[in-house]
Amino acid sequence: MWENVKSFASGFFVTGDPLIYGADVSIVLTLLAVLFVLTYFKRWGWLWREWLTTVDHKKIGIMYILSAFLMLFRGGVDALLMRAQLAVPEFHFLQPDHYNEIFTTHGVIMILFMAMPFMFGLFNVMVPLQIGARDVAYPFLNALSFWLFFAGAMLFNLSFVIGGSPDAGWLAYPPYSELMYNPGVGQDFYIWGIQISGIGSLMTGINFIVTILKMRAPGMKLMKMPLFPWSVLSSCIAIIFSFPILTATLALLFLDRYAGAHFFTLDGGGNPMMYINLIWMWGHPEVYIIVLPAFGIFSEVVATFSRKKLFGYNSMVYAMMIISILSFLVWAHHFFTMGSGADVNTFFALTTMLIAIPTGVKVFNWLFTMFRGKITFETPMLWTIGFIPCFVTGGMTGVLLSVAPADFQFHNSYFLIAHFHHVIIGGVVFGYFAGLYYWWPKLFGFKLNESIGKWAFWLWNIGFYVCFMPQYVLGLMGMTRRVVTYSWDKGWWELNLVSTIGAVLMGIAFLFQVWQIAHGLKHRQNHMDLTGDPWNGRTLEWSIPSPAPHYNFAVLPQVSELDEWWEEKIRREQGQAVQAVSKKLEPIHMPNNSGIPIIMAGFFFLTGFGFVFHWLWLAIPGLAGVAVCMLVHSFNYNTDYYIPVDEIERTEAAIRKVTR
């Protein structure tokens, strides 16, 4: 009996690596600390009522952002481990198998479990406020989307200590991901973690399309809508067309592994290239899915801190929608080297070059907005200015990669690694940081320390260039991707060491950001936003108190202009009467909290875990639990309530401001 238990445990838990043991200890200690704090301060009921069962879009957005920061830490540690391994030649800090696992999990976590939730968090906290709505279109679905993402992320991360991490690369190309070459459960953790979180992502895309199209404030026509909701709309359109492809692709891969199908195995009549086509039909739109909202953020920040209307509003809208469409026509540039033929390569080379045009339009519009503007250099604006040269560099190298003959030389080299990180970090991460700093006062009611924020900004930027610029040169020198070590005679070690130093600087920059948040929480009373408009903003979110009340607007705003709040402030300065809108307060219709989303996500987690280990005795009850949750919710008629007028008046009086 005991021998059977030990045999099961040795195969079930990841053993044999001191780094894993250290992670085990850290996880246990962190969980114990959280349990102790919640119990000691008697916060279990508060946690359940206020957060775990909430359908408030702002709280859901905060949970998304918190999850993204945790995943940024995990993915960043993976990056530092890889850079430590490559700092000098013939180093054996990581074993090859462990290195394969780390570069796989790093890519998956940073794209799907860091960038996506960061993006969805900003969607949640700001889109309803910017369009003058009190919530999203489907609050229950919004909560379920978050908990499905969280369940998928936790299932994927669990592979680090149970069963073993996936090691076939972040896109899991066959045959590396097929059962013959990857018999462990790591690849199944990959499939089910992404599948479960992907369902939540698809739901979010649907939810925000409906929210933007159907819940705008009275008078807010589409072409009077701020740029950030436009960027969200273009991103969500891409989501609803691309994520079903990912779902189907991973389902086929799972059938190969679980049921002995041969969709992607050559010896069974399948074709691995079909998988590569499908995964990139999702994968390249995914790049634009996460970068388009960053473009919207930069548009908001540039206009606010330049004290000007955004230059070329119409062209910005058209550019984002064009990018959303063209993103589906460029996927094959990821495998020019696969022998698709000159005609196919030429088509995708041209579409790849073409998509650079609307991207360039936006950069010039931001520059023209700043031209002769009264620019102030608060932290959000610094991240925006830092983004421009970084993203332009990434875009120019992307155009180089779009030339098929050149791509034959660059494709499998560190040149491509540097390009990709220029676009993703310089475009996506810098954009989300700008948005977080910009909207932080609206979320939490206080501003963060600018001095610490500027230290973080400069360390991030200096570290970024020190890390990735040498990698362009390394790629041109012949260093290929996915190498675990290299010899002294290659002549690569000096630039690799410099690159590792840059990665360490970015890690230090992240610690500065953690310090900045901790410092802000400790000294928040000294930096409270008492006006609701700390940046002298232009859009509707700055017209209400900070933090926003749970119903957002006591009276829905009436919109007549683009940048309505800015125009309203001008009218007031000129002594003009406020727009004739009824100020009579009425009961506000709001959704009830629900525990079903987190419970349903728990059953999804059990289903995925069961399929990972081929435990039908767990997977089938998990699916049954999902069905029961759906059934219970379908018969739940107590889904909403009204906030009475006297409660609204008390809330408004408490924050000493009547929303206009």
Coordinates of all heavy atoms in Angstrom, one line a residue, residues 257-288:
R257 N -4.2 13.0 -29.3 CA -3.5 12.5 -28.1 C -4.4 11.5 -27.3 O -3.9 10.6 -26.8 CB -3.0 13.7 -27.2 CG -2.0 14.6 -27.9 CD -1.6 15.7 -26.9 NE -1.2 15.2 -25.6 CZ 0.1 14.9 -25.4 NH1 1.0 14.9 -26.3 NH2 0.4 14.4 -24.1
Y258 N -5.7 11.8 -27.2 CA -6.5 11.1 -26.3 C -7.2 9.9 -27.0 O -7.4 8.8 -26.4 CB -7.6 12.0 -25.7 CG -8.4 11.4 -24.6 CD1 -7.9 11.4 -23.3 CD2 -9.7 11.0 -24.8 CE1 -8.7 10.8 -22.3 CE2 -10.5 10.4 -23.8 CZ -9.9 10.3 -22.6 OH -10.7 9.8 -21.5
A259 N -7.6 10.1 -28.2 CA -8.5 9.1 -28.9 C -7.8 8.4 -30.0 O -8.4 7.6 -30.7 CB -9.8 9.8 -29.3
G260 N -6.5 8.7 -30.2 CA -5.8 8.0 -31.3 C -6.1 8.5 -32.7 O -5.9 7.8 -33.7
A261 N -6.7 9.7 -32.8 CA -7.0 10.3 -34.1 C -5.6 10.7 -34.8 O -4.6 10.7 -34.2 CB -7.9 11.5 -34.0
H262 N -5.7 11.0 -36.1 CA -4.5 11.4 -36.8 C -4.7 12.6 -37.7 O -4.3 12.6 -38.8 CB -4.0 10.2 -37.7 CG -3.6 9.0 -36.9 ND1 -2.4 8.9 -36.2 CD2 -4.3 7.8 -36.6 CE1 -2.4 7.7 -35.6 NE2 -3.5 7.0 -35.8
F263 N -5.2 13.6 -37.1 CA -5.4 14.9 -37.8 C -4.1 15.5 -38.2 O -3.9 16.1 -39.3 CB -6.2 15.9 -37.0 CG -7.6 15.5 -36.8 CD1 -8.0 15.0 -35.5 CD2 -8.6 15.6 -37.8 CE1 -9.3 14.6 -35.3 CE2 -9.9 15.2 -37.6 CZ -10.3 14.7 -36.3
F264 N -3.1 15.4 -37.3 CA -1.8 16.0 -37.6 C -0.6 15.1 -37.6 O 0.6 15.5 -37.5 CB -1.6 17.1 -36.5 CG -2.7 18.1 -36.3 CD1 -3.3 18.3 -35.1 CD2 -3.3 18.8 -37.4 CE1 -4.4 19.1 -34.9 CE2 -4.3 19.6 -37.3 CZ -4.9 19.8 -36.0
T265 N -0.8 13.8 -37.7 CA 0.3 12.8 -37.7 C 0.4 12.3 -39.1 O -0.5 11.7 -39.7 CB 0.0 11.7 -36.8 OG1 -1.3 11.1 -37.0 CG2 0.0 12.2 -35.3
L266 N 1.6 12.4 -39.7 CA 1.9 12.0 -41.1 C 1.7 10.6 -41.3 O 1.1 10.1 -42.3 CB 3.3 12.4 -41.5 CG 3.5 13.9 -41.9 CD1 5.0 14.2 -42.1 CD2 2.7 14.2 -43.2
D267 N 2.2 9.7 -40.4 CA 2.1 8.3 -40.6 C 0.7 7.8 -40.5 O 0.4 6.7 -40.9 CB 3.0 7.5 -39.6 CG 2.7 7.8 -38.2 OD1 1.9 8.7 -37.9 OD2 3.2 7.1 -37.3
G268 N -0.3 8.6 -40.0 CA -1.7 8.2 -39.9 C -2.5 8.9 -41.0 O -3.8 8.8 -40.9
G269 N -1.9 9.6 -41.9 CA -2.6 10.2 -43.0 C -2.9 11.7 -42.7 O -3.6 12.3 -43.5
G270 N -2.5 12.2 -41.5 CA -2.7 13.6 -41.2 C -1.6 14.5 -41.8 O -0.8 14.1 -42.5
N271 N -1.7 15.8 -41.4 CA -0.8 16.8 -41.9 C -0.4 17.8 -40.8 O -1.3 18.6 -40.5 CB -1.4 17.5 -43.1 CG -0.4 18.3 -43.8 OD1 0.7 18.6 -43.4 ND2 -0.8 18.8 -45.0
P272 N 0.8 17.8 -40.4 CA 1.2 18.8 -39.3 C 1.1 20.2 -39.9 O 0.8 21.1 -39.1 CB 2.7 18.4 -39.1 CG 2.9 17.0 -39.5 CD 1.9 16.8 -40.6
M273 N 1.2 20.4 -41.2 CA 1.1 21.8 -41.7 C -0.3 22.3 -41.6 O -0.5 23.5 -41.5 CB 1.5 21.8 -43.2 CG 3.0 22.0 -43.4 SD 3.6 23.5 -42.6 CE 2.7 24.7 -43.5
M274 N -1.3 21.4 -41.5 CA -2.7 21.9 -41.3 C -2.8 22.5 -39.9 O -3.4 23.6 -39.7 CB -3.7 20.7 -41.4 CG -5.1 21.2 -41.2 SD -6.3 19.9 -41.6 CE -6.1 18.7 -40.3
Y275 N -2.1 21.9 -38.9 CA -2.1 22.5 -37.5 C -1.4 23.9 -37.6 O -1.9 24.8 -37.0 CB -1.3 21.6 -36.6 CG -1.2 22.1 -35.2 CD1 -2.2 21.8 -34.2 CD2 -0.2 23.0 -34.8 CE1 -2.1 22.3 -32.9 CE2 -0.1 23.5 -33.5 CZ -1.0 23.2 -32.6 OH -1.0 23.7 -31.3
I276 N -0.3 24.0 -38.3 CA 0.5 25.2 -38.3 C -0.3 26.3 -38.9 O -0.4 27.5 -38.5 CB 1.8 25.0 -38.9 CG1 2.7 24.0 -38.1 CG2 2.6 26.3 -39.1 CD1 4.0 23.6 -38.7
N277 N -1.0 26.0 -40.0 CA -1.9 27.0 -40.7 C -3.0 27.4 -39.7 O -3.3 28.6 -39.5 CB -2.6 26.4 -41.9 CG -1.7 26.6 -43.2 OD1 -1.7 27.7 -43.7 ND2 -1.0 25.6 -43.6
L278 N -3.7 26.5 -39.0 CA -4.8 26.8 -38.1 C -4.3 27.6 -36.9 O -4.9 28.6 -36.6 CB -5.4 25.5 -37.6 CG -6.3 24.7 -38.7 CD1 -6.7 23.4 -38.1 CD2 -7.5 25.6 -39.1
I279 N -3.2 27.2 -36.3 CA -2.7 27.9 -35.1 C -2.3 29.3 -35.4 O -2.5 30.2 -34.6 CB -1.6 27.1 -34.4 CG1 -1.5 27.5 -32.9 CG2 -0.3 27.4 -35.1 CD1 -2.7 27.0 -32.1
W280 N -1.8 29.6 -36.6 CA -1.4 30.9 -37.0 C -2.6 31.7 -37.5 O -2.6 33.0 -37.5 CB -0.2 31.0 -38.0 CG 1.1 30.8 -37.2 CD1 2.0 29.8 -37.4 CD2 1.6 31.7 -36.3 NE1 3.0 29.9 -36.5 CE2 2.9 31.1 -35.8 CE3 1.2 32.9 -35.7 CZ2 3.7 31.7 -34.9 CZ3 2.0 33.5 -34.7 CH2 3.2 32.9 -34.3
M281 N -3.6 31.1 -38.0 CA -4.9 31.8 -38.4 C -5.5 32.4 -37.1 O -6.2 33.4 -37.2 CB -5.8 30.8 -39.1 CG -5.4 30.5 -40.5 SD -6.4 29.2 -41.2 CE -7.9 30.1 -41.5
W282 N -5.2 31.8 -35.9 CA -5.6 32.4 -34.7 C -4.4 33.3 -34.2 O -4.6 34.4 -33.7 CB -5.8 31.4 -33.6 CG -5.7 31.9 -32.2 CD1 -6.6 32.7 -31.5 CD2 -4.6 31.8 -31.3 NE1 -6.1 33.1 -30.3 CE2 -4.9 32.6 -30.2 CE3 -3.3 31.2 -31.4 CZ2 -4.0 32.7 -29.1 CZ3 -2.4 31.3 -30.4 CH2 -2.7 32.0 -29.2
G283 N -3.2 32.8 -34.3 CA -2.0 33.4 -33.7 C -1.7 34.8 -34.1 O -1.3 35.7 -33.3
H284 N -1.8 35.1 -35.5 CA -1.4 36.4 -35.9 C -2.5 37.4 -35.6 O -2.2 38.5 -35.1 CB -1.0 36.5 -37.3 CG -0.2 37.7 -37.5 ND1 1.2 37.7 -37.3 CD2 -0.5 39.0 -37.8 CE1 1.7 38.9 -37.5 NE2 0.7 39.7 -37.8
P285 N -3.8 37.1 -35.8 CA -4.8 38.0 -35.2 C -4.7 38.3 -33.7 O -4.9 39.4 -33.2 CB -6.1 37.3 -35.6 CG -5.8 36.5 -36.8 CD -4.4 36.1 -36.6
E286 N -4.2 37.3 -33.0 CA -4.0 37.4 -31.6 C -3.0 38.5 -31.2 O -3.2 39.3 -30.3 CB -3.5 36.1 -31.0 CG -3.0 36.2 -29.5 CD -4.0 36.5 -28.5 OE1 -5.2 36.6 -28.8 OE2 -3.7 36.8 -27.3
V287 N -2.0 38.7 -32.1 CA -1.0 39.8 -31.8 C -1.7 41.1 -31.9 O -1.5 42.0 -31.1 CB 0.1 39.7 -32.9 CG1 1.1 40.9 -32.8 CG2 0.9 38.4 -32.7
Y288 N -2.6 41.3 -32.9 CA -3.3 42.5 -33.1 C -4.4 42.7 -32.1 O -4.8 43.8 -31.7 CB -3.8 42.7 -34.5 CG -2.7 42.9 -35.5 CD1 -2.2 41.8 -36.2 CD2 -2.1 44.1 -35.6 CE1 -1.1 42.0 -37.1 CE2 -1.1 44.3 -36.5 CZ -0.6 43.3 -37.2 OH 0.5 43.5 -38.1

